[in-house]
């Protein structure tokens, strides 16, 4: 559809001119979709918009944490840097004597390491026997990747995070942000720990919420669409699950999964414990979502577009997931923004009890646990609890405000009103 | 009345089913762990280990263990022997810890309701005032700060800096007050928000306008005509509130070193004391179920339009 009438055909009679004008006008009128309307209303809600901006910033910061010029989140310095209050003294990466880095600088060590690697590699490549060469090369590669200097400063970087760390070193060199948040009881920089911890907490929150979204929406939509006895049975089941104190079951499950033999079995299948952790949390937060979606679907399933889809012979599965579910999106998004904070809180709670994310991984819950342990009257190390606490509280705050704002914005009763 | 009875019976049936399901899942998980409680201990002579296994019924086939244990629970209420706590049965642990946890939870709920409802009413009546904004900001804060952080800050503040409360211990009201306050705080915050929303909705209704028009004093209108209607969402929140208080008591008992069942549960979980953990899970399931049923019942009593199903 082009925006102007084709110029090649001249306007003939007055009727056609009128028609063209009307068409022109109708093109200029824009319908306001639900989403545009909601967005318009959301933009007026200052608290929600501030939260949205904050959350997007946080999300970007979490994704690109390895790129930021932060100090090492795991490098301990028990001699000189325990419980340093927040300060702005400049720090050089890899300067701790215990690391035994060349010149006390990460870049120098990296250069030395790469030179050594290249040399040794060349030696191996000089081996004439191809089989032996391949073997030695493989062994050497695994060994050298373990010995990489990054492994002393960062914990188990994935391939993407590893690349990001390299880019970070290439851009910022040895420079790192000073310990603006102070250091903790093992002399680790709190600022970088808060960043890395937020990353883990956010990932737990989002992944678990997505799991709960998938289960809850499918379950609720199927129950609501099929209706009748199926619906009654499915919803009775949800009622029953509501009465189970899931926290306790989860703690029980986490304990069970932490058992060495079980861990080994999982490792054999290549499943990490934290993955299971996400899935378990997600699997218990779908109940409310399924109820809400079911309620929506119940009111949608006699709408004309559903009838139409059925008339042209669409299968129930197609009707549910292509026609009905997209129409419940508004409510789902609202509940999504309210589920993420409760999941994050739950993760913090479990980590606090020592049942969640395990060190050397960091999460906000673990940081808070450290902070609470360090609280004492003798010396007031307030920064170890205030900064992680503030990070968690701010995130939850923002998510709550955004959820409330979205609920108001997507409320159909508010349509075309202020 | 007949409704009530049949409702109670049906709920009881559902409860049995739920508890049974929880029991089965926990049992399967417990037995799915290879080895037995004695295999990890210092090596015991095989003869003694056989005796121990016989004593704890671990040598029977799994199905028999399953039914024996179930029969024990149903007929004698016997949850078995704790694997890690020396010389304790699960029942004894529960009997010791339960009064502590129950009084803590009840106190926390009472506190949360009084404070939450009062704050909600005040901020709804004085909507838009500085007081309203301040109260609601506090409420959001209460929801966003995990209660274990709140508890540690409260200890720092009220035990050390301004010594009003003792740091730990159990028995007197002063010792209970601080943990209960911290435990109830998030619930209070939520209740305050719910009350405020409910109040605002009811305040806009016709019958309230009529009541004001008749010249009734403001306090009468608020307390008699607005509040009962506004409290319905709060009542339906009581079920989740109980769950959250029970959950929160796990950490708070740890922080305040209270001898409740929550701290035992954490211990059981981290020390892999399966019988104790299972006993706790079953107890909490029953508690939560009873509480949810009571909430549903009271809901039907308060709002005559609600039919019990």
């Amino acid at each position: 559809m082009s925006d102007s009438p084709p110029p090649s055909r001249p306007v003939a009679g007055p009727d056609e001119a009128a028609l063209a004008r009307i068409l022109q006008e109708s093109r200029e009128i824009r319908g306001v979709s639900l989403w545009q309307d909601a967005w318009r209303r959301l933009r007026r809600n200052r608290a929600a918009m501030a939260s949205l901006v904050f959350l997007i910033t946080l999300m970007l910061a979490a994704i690109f944490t390895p790129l930021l010029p932060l100090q090492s989140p795991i490098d301990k310095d028990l001699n000189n840097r325990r419980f340093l209050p927040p300060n702005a003294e400049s720090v050089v990466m890899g300067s701790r004597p215990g690391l035994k880095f060349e010149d006390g600088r990460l870049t120098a060590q990296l250069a030395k390491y790469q030179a050594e690697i290249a040399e040794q590699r060349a030696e191996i490549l000089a081996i004439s026997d191809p089989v032996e060469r391949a073997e030695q090369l493989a062994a050497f590669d695994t060994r050298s990747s373990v010995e990489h200097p990054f492994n002393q400063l960062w914990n188990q970087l994935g391939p993407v995070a590893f690349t990001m760390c390299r880019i970070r070193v290439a851009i910022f060199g040895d420079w790192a942000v000073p310990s603006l948040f102070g250091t903790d009881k093992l002399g680790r920089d709190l600022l970088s720990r808060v960043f890395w911890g937020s990353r883990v907490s956010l990932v737990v929150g989002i992944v678990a919420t997505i799991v709960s979204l998938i289960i809850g929406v499918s379950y609720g939509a199927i129950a609501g669409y099929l209706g009748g006895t199926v619906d009654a049975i499915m919803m009775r089941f949800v009622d029953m699950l509501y009465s189970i104190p899931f926290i306790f079951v989860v703690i029980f499950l986490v304990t069970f999964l932490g058992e060495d033999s079980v861990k080994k079995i999982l490792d054999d299948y290549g499943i990490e414990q934290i993955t299971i952790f996400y899935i378990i949390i997600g699997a218990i937060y779908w109940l409310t979502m399924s109820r809400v979606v079911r309620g929506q679907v119940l009111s949608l399933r006699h709408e004309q577009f559903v009838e139409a889809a059925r008339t042209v012979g669409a299968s129930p599965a197609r009707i549910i997931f292509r026609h009905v579910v997209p129409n419940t999106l508004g409510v789902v998004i609202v509940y999504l923004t309210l589920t993420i904070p409760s999941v994050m809180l739950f993760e913090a709670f479990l980590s606090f009890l020592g049942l969640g994310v395990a060190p050397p991984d960091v999460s906000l819950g673990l940081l808070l646990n450290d902070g609470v342990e360090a609280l004492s009257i003798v010396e007031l190390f307030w920064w170890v609890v205030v900064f992680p606490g503030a990070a968690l509280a701010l995130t939850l705050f923002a998510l709550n405000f955004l959820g409330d704002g979205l609920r108001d914005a997507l409320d159909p009763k508010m349509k075309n009103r202020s | 009345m007949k409704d009530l009875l049949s409702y109670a019976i049906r709920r009881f049936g559902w409860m049995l089913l739920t508890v049974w399901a929880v029991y089965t899942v926990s049992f399967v998980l417990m037995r799915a762990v290879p080895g037995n409680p004695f295999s990890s201990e210092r090596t015991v002579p095989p003869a003694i280990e056989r005796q121990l296994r016989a004593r704890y019924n671990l040598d029977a086939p799994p199905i028999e263990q399953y039914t024996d244990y179930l029969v024990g629970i149903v007929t004698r209420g016997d949850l078995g022997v704790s694997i890690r706590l020396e010389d304790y049965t699960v029942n004894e642990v529960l009997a010791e810890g339960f009064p502590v946890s129950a009084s803590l939870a009840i106190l926390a709920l009472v506190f949360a309701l009084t404070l939450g409802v009062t704050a909600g009413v005040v901020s709804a009546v004085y909507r838009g005032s500085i007081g309203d904004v301040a109260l609601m900001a506090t409420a959001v804060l209460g929801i966003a700060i995990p209660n274990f952080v709140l508890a540690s800050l409260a200890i720092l503040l009220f035990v050390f800096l301004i010594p009003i409360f003792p740091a730990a211990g159990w028995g007197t009201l002063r010792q209970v007050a601080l943990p209960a306050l911290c435990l109830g705080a998030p619930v209070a915050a939520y209740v305050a928000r719910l009350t405020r929303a409910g109040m605002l909705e009811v305040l806009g209704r016709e019958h309230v306008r009529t009541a004001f028009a008749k010249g009734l004093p403001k306090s009468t209108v608020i307390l008699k005509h607005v509040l009962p209607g506004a409290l319905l969402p709060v009542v339906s929140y009581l079920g989740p509130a109980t769950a959250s208080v029970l959950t929160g008591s796990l950490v708070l008992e740890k922080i305040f070193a209270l001898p409740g069942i929550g701290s035992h549960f954490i211990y059981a979980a981290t020390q892999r004391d399966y019988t104790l953990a299972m006993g706790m899970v079953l107890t909490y399931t029953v508690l939560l179920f009873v509480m949810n049923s009571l909430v549903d019942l009271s809901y039907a009593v308060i709002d005559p339009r609600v039919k019990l199903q």
Side-chain angles (χ1 to χ4, degrees):
Chain A
M1 279 271 175
S2 62
D3 280 333
S4 53
S8 58
R9 205 192 320 144
V11 177
D15 281 356
E16 232 167 292
L19 187 69
R21 206 181 57 241
I22 292 168
L23 276 177
Q24 186 66 35
E25 269 173 20
S26 75
R27 276 196 203 98
E28 276 161 12
I29 295 172
R30 291 232 167 262
V32 182
S33 76
L34 170 72
W35 298 103
Q36 286 168 331
D37 194 43
W39 173 239
R40 208 166 46 87
R41 252 177 279 134
L42 188 69
R43 253 195 333 215
R44 295 230 182 96
N45 186 341
R46 250 189 267 148
M49 280 316 280
S51 305
L52 187 64
V53 171
F54 173 78
L55 285 172
I56 291 174
T57 321
L58 187 76
M59 200 94 93
L60 290 178
I63 294 172
F64 296 112
T65 300
L67 272 183
L68 301 176
L70 296 165
Q71 297 175 38
S72 154
I74 56 164
D75 186 34
K76 302 165 188 167
D77 190 346
L78 291 167
N79 300 326
N80 305 319
R81 296 180 56 84
R82 294 188 63 210
F83 286 128
L84 285 186
N87 60 67
E89 280 168 40
S90 63
V91 175
V92 175
M93 290 293 281
S95 61
R96 185 170 66 89
L99 284 171
K100 300 203 176 102
F101 276 5
E102 186 88 356
D103 285 353
R105 279 173 35 227
L106 176 63
T107 41
Q109 175 69 17
L110 208 57
K112 183 182 153 207
Y113 166 82
Q114 268 153 1
E116 277 173 13
I117 290 281
E119 202 176 295
Q120 287 174 17
R121 211 184 154 84
E123 267 173 40
I124 292 175
L125 283 175
I127 297 171
S128 51
D129 180 19
V131 180
E132 200 194 334
R133 189 173 60 204
E135 255 174 38
Q136 288 233 1
L137 207 60
F140 173 74
D141 280 348
T142 44
R143 200 173 63 234
S144 61
S145 69
V146 169
E147 284 165 3
H148 199 278
F150 281 3
N151 287 337
Q152 282 173 281
L153 296 181
W154 288 283
N155 170 46
Q156 290 180 345
L157 296 169
V160 180
F162 193 86
T163 319
M164 283 206 249
C165 274
R166 290 177 86 140
I167 300 173
R168 171 226 185 282
V169 173
I171 299 175
F172 297 103
D174 294 318
W175 185 78
V177 175
S179 297
L180 295 176
F181 285 4
T183 59
D184 70 356
K185 65 173 181 225
L186 297 175
R188 294 170 292 198
D189 175 47
L190 208 56
L191 178 69
S192 74
R193 282 177 76 74
V194 166
F195 267 85
W196 284 87
S198 305
R199 192 176 145 97
V200 171
S201 289
L202 267 184
V203 168
V204 172
I206 290 171
V207 173
T209 306
I210 289 173
V211 171
S212 82
L213 176 82
I214 293 169
I215 305 179
V217 170
S218 335
Y219 194 92
I222 291 172
Y225 182 75
L226 295 180
T229 326
V230 181
D231 177 39
I233 293 173
M234 285 174 91
M235 282 299 123
R236 284 274 93 172
F237 181 63
V238 169
D239 286 348
M240 192 172 112
L241 290 184
Y242 256 111
S243 302
I244 295 178
F246 267 108
I247 309 281
F248 303 96
V249 180
V250 165
I251 290 177
F252 195 81
L253 271 178
V254 169
T255 321
F256 170 74
L257 291 170
E259 193 81 37
D260 290 336
S261 48
V262 180
K263 232 190 245 169
K264 204 172 150 286
I265 297 171
L266 290 177
D267 280 347
D268 290 347
Y269 286 105
I271 305 168
E272 269 184 71
Q273 210 190 342
I274 198 153
T275 321
I276 306 256
F277 187 65
Y278 299 145
I279 295 173
I280 293 177
I281 298 185
I284 62 172
Y285 274 94
W286 61 273
L287 296 176
T288 312
M289 182 72 88
S290 75
R291 274 193 176 175
V292 170
V293 171
R294 170 184 169 263
Q296 284 281 306
V297 171
L298 273 185
S299 67
L300 282 173
R301 70 179 180 140
H302 292 302
E303 293 283 327
Q304 284 196 335
F305 69 92
V306 177
E307 303 272 324
R310 207 177 295 142
T311 318
V312 297
S315 68
R318 192 183 160 81
I319 297 178
I320 293 177
F321 290 104
R322 293 284 307 191
H323 298 275
V324 178
V325 167
N327 279 291
T328 62
L329 213 58
V331 195
V332 168
I333 288 180
V334 170
Y335 271 86
L336 220 56
T337 49
L338 298 177
T339 308
I340 298 176
S342 45
V343 169
M344 286 178 69
L345 209 52
F346 186 52
E347 182 277 325
F349 173 84
L350 280 182
S351 299
F352 180 76
L353 291 175
L355 296 166
V357 175
D361 279 335
V362 236
S363 80
L364 289 177
L366 271 180
L367 288 178
L368 280 172
N369 190 10
D370 285 353
V372 168
E373 274 172 15
L375 272 187
S376 74
I377 194 63
V378 189
E379 264 180 287
L380 201 55
F381 304 124
W382 53 271
W383 56 92
V384 279
V385 66
V386 165
F387 290 115
L392 184 61
L394 267 180
T395 315
L396 299 184
F397 237 61
L399 282 164
N400 274 314
F401 274 127
L402 182 65
D404 285 352
L406 278 175
R407 181 162 46 199
D408 291 346
L410 285 167
D411 189 351
K413 275 185 280 182
M414 303 281 283
K415 183 154 173 74
N416 292 333
R417 272 201 269 162
S418 60
Chain B
M1 201 56 218
K2 214 175 149 210
D3 267 11
L4 204 71
L5 198 68
S6 75
Y7 172 78
I9 292 172
R10 239 193 333 258
R11 285 298 287 203
F12 188 70
W14 274 105
M15 184 174 91
L16 288 185
L17 200 64
T18 312
V19 171
W20 172 74
V22 172
Y23 167 78
T24 310
V25 171
S26 332
F27 189 88
V28 170
L29 284 179
M30 256 163 69
R31 289 296 179 272
V33 182
N36 64 63
F38 307 112
S39 57
S40 57
E41 296 286 313
R42 283 183 302 269
T43 39
V44 194
I48 295 181
E49 198 193 315
R50 253 199 319 278
Q51 286 224 337
L52 277 172
R53 289 169 61 103
R55 168 76 181 75
Y56 293 110
N57 201 17
L58 287 169
D59 51 354
I63 292 291
E64 209 179 306
Q65 289 183 36
Y66 175 83
T67 47
D68 279 358
Y69 196 38
L70 193 59
V71 165
I73 294 174
V74 173
T75 54
R76 289 167 274 137
D78 178 12
L79 289 165
V81 183
S82 165
I83 300 179
R84 295 287 148 115
L85 290 175
E86 275 172 36
D87 216 14
Y88 264 103
T89 64
V90 175
N91 291 34
E92 282 166 358
V93 175
L94 284 177
E96 261 180 29
F98 190 73
V100 177
S101 297
S103 35
L104 181 65
I106 290 170
L107 212 70
L109 275 181
V110 168
F111 158 72
L113 283 180
T114 13
L115 200 76
V117 170
T118 318
V121 169
V122 169
S123 68
V125 172
Y126 300 101
R127 181 186 189 183
S129 68
I130 300 172
D132 174 29
V133 174
L135 277 176
M136 282 306 116
T138 321
V140 179
L141 210 66
I143 293 173
I145 295 185
N147 54 11
F148 51 89
V149 177
L150 194 68
S152 24
L153 292 178
I155 289 184
L156 205 65
L157 198 63
F158 293 118
V159 177
F160 293 115
L161 294 184
I162 318 164
I164 319 175
F165 295 107
W170 182 255
T172 65
L173 190 63
R174 264 187 45 187
Q175 283 170 325
V176 188
L178 196 58
L181 280 176
C182 296
L183 187 53
V187 181
Y190 212 89
V191 168
R193 279 167 54 118
L194 284 177
T195 313
R196 181 173 181 272
M199 287 284 292
L200 287 180
E201 201 199 322
V202 181
L203 274 172
R205 293 248 184 91
E206 308 269 293
H207 74 272
V208 177
R209 203 190 307 164
T210 313
F212 273 121
K214 280 199 304 187
L216 288 179
K218 199 171 179 180
S219 58
T220 318
V221 179
I222 303 265
L223 290 180
K224 283 211 158 164
H225 297 273
V226 183
L227 197 56
L231 282 185
L232 283 177
V234 176
V235 173
S236 60
Y237 173 64
L238 276 182
T242 316
S244 111
V245 163
L246 287 180
T247 314
S249 66
L250 291 186
V251 269
L252 283 181
E253 284 177 15
K254 185 185 168 197
I255 294 177
F256 286 93
L258 301 179
I261 43 178
S263 46
H264 281 302
F265 185 78
I266 299 301
Y267 173 82
T270 48
Q271 296 298 310
R272 319 226 183 292
D273 188 341
Y274 292 112
T275 45
L276 189 55
M278 174 136 118
M280 302 275 171
V281 171
L282 292 181
T283 314
Y284 279 115
T285 311
V286 172
L287 268 181
L288 200 62
F289 213 101
V290 170
M291 195 60 201
N292 277 338
S293 307
L294 284 180
V295 167
D296 283 359
L297 272 181
S298 59
Y299 205 68
V301 171
I302 297 173
D303 188 349
R305 289 169 301 181
V306 173
K307 285 263 184 303
L308 289 172
Q309 295 193 341

